[in-house]
Amino acid sequence: MFVYLLKRILSIIPILLGVSFLVFLMVYLIPGDPARIILGQAATEKAILELRAELGLDQPFFVQYGIWLLSVLQGDLGTSIAMRIPVADFLLPKLLNTLILTAGALVICLVGGVLIGLLAALKKYTFFDRFIMFIAQFGANTPVFWLAIVIMWFFSIKLGWLPSSGMYNMRTGPSFSGLLQHLILPAFATATVSLAVIARLTRSSIIEVLNMDYIKTFRANGIPESKIISKHVFRNILSPLLNMSGLQIGYLLGGALFVEVVFSWPGIGSQLYTSINAQDIPMIQAGVLFIAISFVVLNLINDLIVTSLNPRLKS
């Protein structure tokens, strides 16, 4: 297992290098001159050229990329152009906030998706099953950004049940209960599409396993249905369920970035939105890089969990 773990960790190094190159290229191609934005339209050409030289923007593309990559490998993500503070110190807490939102969404989509899929499978081909799958189909095709606005309007503004923005109550300060209250709506909006996908996968997987011969043999021998489901069915669908969950992590991370803007959640997505408007290049590069690395690492962890449950996959 140790050799397999080492191989998998080494295999993501080229991926991370490719990701870093694409991140730098993407930000490099954004139109506009950061030096002119910082100094304003009234700045002289001499001042702009001097600032471009100070920021290294007058260097060729590959020289800029090499300098930036070397700095990143040393833990230096640069200084924010707009705020003049170290990017890493500012963004790391926001990355943690984004991961909290993504983890909340993952819990909702796994618990809700498995439960809905199980109920639909047990009531297969009935009105309840068709209605649940229709809702799941609708949820899988709903834009996250639009859904976030709708549920915020209904549950926060119309009913007043849950807060509409932020991460904690500004009056009482940070607390676990306050975090949960603020987390429910953005996490649900982020999880909706993945929840629908997990529910459909769970339903089809359970129906497939329930139709197998050995399950029919268990039933013929009088083994209770609840024991068949909990002991034999879930064991068989665990591997495809974890595989699909790993694929959904990327979608949840991407959805969280949009939802953060709607709910003013203080994460990477909200900061990226602000930094893009200000053309704060170091902040944009670090934010996108954090998200990409998080996606790669979380998928690696998921792969290792799936492999540990099914050692034959190592071959």
Side-chain angles (χ1 to χ4, degrees), residues 26-78:
M26 182 181 65
V27 177
Y28 181 83
L29 295 177
I30 293 177
D33 186 350
R36 189 176 295 278
I37 293 173
I38 294 171
L39 297 176
Q41 295 300 321
T44 63
E45 285 300 321
K46 181 183 178 184
I48 292 172
L49 290 174
E50 287 177 353
L51 184 57
R52 285 180 59 80
E54 179 186 340
L55 298 174
L57 299 174
D58 58 342
Q59 299 292 326
F61 169 76
F62 284 103
V63 174
Q64 290 186 43
Y65 172 66
I67 294 172
W68 175 75
L69 182 61
L70 192 60
S71 300
V72 169
L73 292 175
Q74 294 173 345
D76 179 12
L77 296 174

Side-chain angles (χ1 to χ4, degrees), residues 18-188:
V19 166
S20 72
F21 180 79
L22 289 176
V23 168
F24 190 86
L25 176 64
M26 182 181 65
V27 177
Y28 181 83
L29 295 177
I30 293 177
D33 186 350
R36 189 176 295 278
I37 293 173
I38 294 171
L39 297 176
Q41 295 300 321
T44 63
E45 285 300 321
K46 181 183 178 184
I48 292 172
L49 290 174
E50 287 177 353
L51 184 57
R52 285 180 59 80
E54 179 186 340
L55 298 174
L57 299 174
D58 58 342
Q59 299 292 326
F61 169 76
F62 284 103
V63 174
Q64 290 186 43
Y65 172 66
I67 294 172
W68 175 75
L69 182 61
L70 192 60
S71 300
V72 169
L73 292 175
Q74 294 173 345
D76 179 12
L77 296 174
T79 303
S80 166
I81 291 175
M83 294 181 281
R84 291 291 179 182
I85 56 176
V87 171
D89 295 344
F90 185 75
L91 274 189
L92 279 175
K94 293 188 177 295
L95 174 65
L96 178 62
N97 295 342
T98 297
L99 292 179
I100 289 173
L101 176 57
T102 306
L106 184 62
V107 170
I108 289 175
C109 84
L110 282 178
V111 175
V114 170
L115 185 60
I116 292 171
L118 173 63
L119 292 175
L122 295 177
K123 302 285 185 183
K124 62 181 179 182
Y125 312 132
T126 62
F127 172 78
F128 176 80
D129 176 30
R130 291 189 175 90
F131 177 73
I132 289 294
M133 286 302 102
F134 171 77
I135 297 295
Q137 183 70 27
F138 178 77
N141 292 283
T142 302
V144 172
F145 192 82
W146 176 83
L147 182 67
I149 294 173
V150 170
I151 64 173
M152 183 179 71
W153 170 79
F154 188 73
F155 290 102
S156 297
I157 299 175
K158 201 73 177 173
L159 300 177
W161 288 355
L162 292 165
S164 61
S165 64
M167 191 171 172
Y168 295 106
N169 192 323
M170 296 294 288
R171 294 178 180 174
T172 59
S175 66
F176 185 68
S177 61
L179 173 62
L180 284 181
Q181 287 180 358
H182 286 77
L183 181 63
I184 291 174
L185 288 184
F188 180 77

